[in-house]
Amino acid sequence: MKIYFGHPQNVYNTDLEKRLLEKIDFYFPKWEIINPAEKCHQEEAKRLKQKRGSAAAMDYFIKLISDCEVGIFLPFKDNKWGAGIFKEAKNIAKRGGIIYKIDEKGTIDNIKFNLVKHLSIKETRARIRDKNGNFLPYC
């Protein structure tokens, strides 16, 4: 059984990510957690992006979740979902998978996916990186 943990890139490899992974593992102890922030996934996405563009990297993550029955997603603090995690969640939901939301405190809630508010790619990027490409704090 596999569960996908979708979260904004500016949360990758942070204390927040670590705490949320611990919380997910606590509530889903026998599940394999697929974390897109893992080095192997980031390296492959980077390779694909350089070779074929951003869409190829996103396709990699969609393929990565193809056998996940459940997805847990961290939206931004205003409850809006980034474009990438929305696309990933939509893919899982379309296959009949269960979608949960997790907040920065680690509260996991079942959601009605059709009520999710999401950002455009441009809006998402503006929340993740500054104009120089540096990660912004999670907001």
Side-chain angles (χ1 to χ4, degrees):
M1 299 181 300
K2 293 182 181 180
I3 189 166
Y4 184 80
F5 175 42
H7 50 301
Q9 290 178 335
N10 55 346
V11 177
Y12 289 9
N13 304 306
T14 63
D15 288 339
L16 174 59
E17 180 191 57
K18 182 179 177 185
R19 286 193 316 272
L20 296 179
L21 284 166
E22 289 170 355
K23 190 66 86 164
I24 294 167
D25 189 51
F26 177 80
Y27 284 105
F28 298 88
K30 296 182 181 187
W31 291 67
E32 177 184 355
I33 301 169
I34 306 299
N35 181 359
E38 290 177 4
K39 186 177 180 181
C40 60
H41 301 310
Q42 287 303 299
E43 287 175 352
E44 182 62 12
K46 182 179 179 182
R47 185 187 72 76
L48 289 168
K49 184 177 181 178
Q50 289 172 342
K51 189 174 182 179
R52 298 192 320 235
S54 295
M58 190 68 217
D59 289 345
Y60 171 77
F61 291 109
I62 296 300
K63 184 177 179 185
L64 183 64
I65 62 174
S66 64
D67 58 350
C68 292
E69 298 92 351
V70 171
I72 294 184
F73 296 90
L74 174 67
F76 291 103
K77 290 181 181 181
D78 64 359
N79 211 28
K80 291 184 180 174
W81 293 43
I85 67 168
F86 178 77
K87 185 173 184 177
E88 293 164 344
K90 185 176 179 181
N91 185 278
I92 293 172
K94 185 171 70 173
R95 292 185 288 103
I98 299 168
I99 305 297
Y100 294 98
K101 177 187 90 165
I102 190 167
D103 65 21
E104 70 274 8
K105 295 174 187 166
T107 303
I108 298 172
D109 290 313
N110 210 342
I111 62 155
K112 294 185 179 188
F113 187 70
N114 60 332
L115 300 178
V116 167
K117 293 182 174 141
H118 62 93
L119 303 169
S120 69
I121 293 171
K122 184 178 180 180
E123 291 168 326
T124 302
R125 286 181 180 153
R127 291 188 184 204
I128 293 175
R129 294 182 186 267
D130 66 19
K131 63 182 178 180
N132 297 320
N134 301 308
F135 282 118
L136 296 167
Y138 169 72
C139 60

